[in-house]
Amino acid sequence: QVQLVESGGELVQAGGSLRLSCAASGRTFSSYGMGWFRQAPGKEREFVAHINWGGGSTSYADSVKGRFTISRDNAKNTVYLQMNSLKPEDTAVYYCAARVGSGSSSYAAYTYWGQGTQVTVSS
């Protein structure tokens, strides 16, 4: 069982930066692929980024490539999402998710989910 708690979401102006954190419980965090997804009001949940268990492999949605960076610290059981050059269209609830093995861009592939953290980007 893995419990995930996101933090770091807040209101920020366009062009600004935020770093989201996702703290995981459990002793086997290093064996999990981790993903970040987001959901805006009235829209489906969409893939943002994922990272494999060791941190050596990452993948991003085209909409965030070059602006967002996913990373992890297995010693701290935490995965991060550094978000730069934020745009109003990045406004959403951001969720982290975990699955055994490698990361995935499919939300259906993930077993564990956090409660989400709100990111609001004002224009």
Side-chain angles (χ1 to χ4, degrees):
Q1 189 78 4
V2 175
Q3 292 186 324
L4 304 173
V5 179
E6 302 96 335
S7 62
E10 63 181 69
L11 172 64
V12 64
Q13 288 190 332
S17 297
L18 283 177
R19 188 175 80 157
L20 305 184
S21 299
C22 173
S25 65
R27 293 175 291 178
T28 58
F29 174 75
S30 60
S31 65
Y32 285 86
M34 302 296 296
W36 284 98
F37 291 76
R38 67 186 182 186
Q39 188 166 18
K43 295 188 177 182
E44 294 187 351
R45 192 168 298 190
E46 66 172 359
F47 165 70
V48 175
H50 70 71
I51 188 167
N52 74 334
W53 63 272
S57 175
T58 59
S59 181
Y60 299 90
D62 287 344
S63 59
V64 307
K65 202 171 294 183
R67 300 188 297 122
F68 291 10
T69 303
I70 188 172
S71 61
R72 66 189 297 162
D73 185 339
N74 287 342
K76 295 183 178 180
N77 280 16
T78 302
V79 63
Y80 305 98
L81 185 68
Q82 177 66 43
M83 306 186 295
N84 299 328
S85 301
L86 282 162
K87 305 175 181 180
E89 51 263 44
D90 294 318
T91 295
V93 177
Y94 283 71
Y95 299 90
C96 71
R99 67 186 299 269
V100 174
S102 59
S104 172
S105 60
S106 170
Y107 74 83
Y110 288 85
T111 306
Y112 304 104
W113 289 85
Q115 296 286 77
T117 185
Q118 175 71 48
V119 172
T120 303
V121 184
S122 65
S123 57

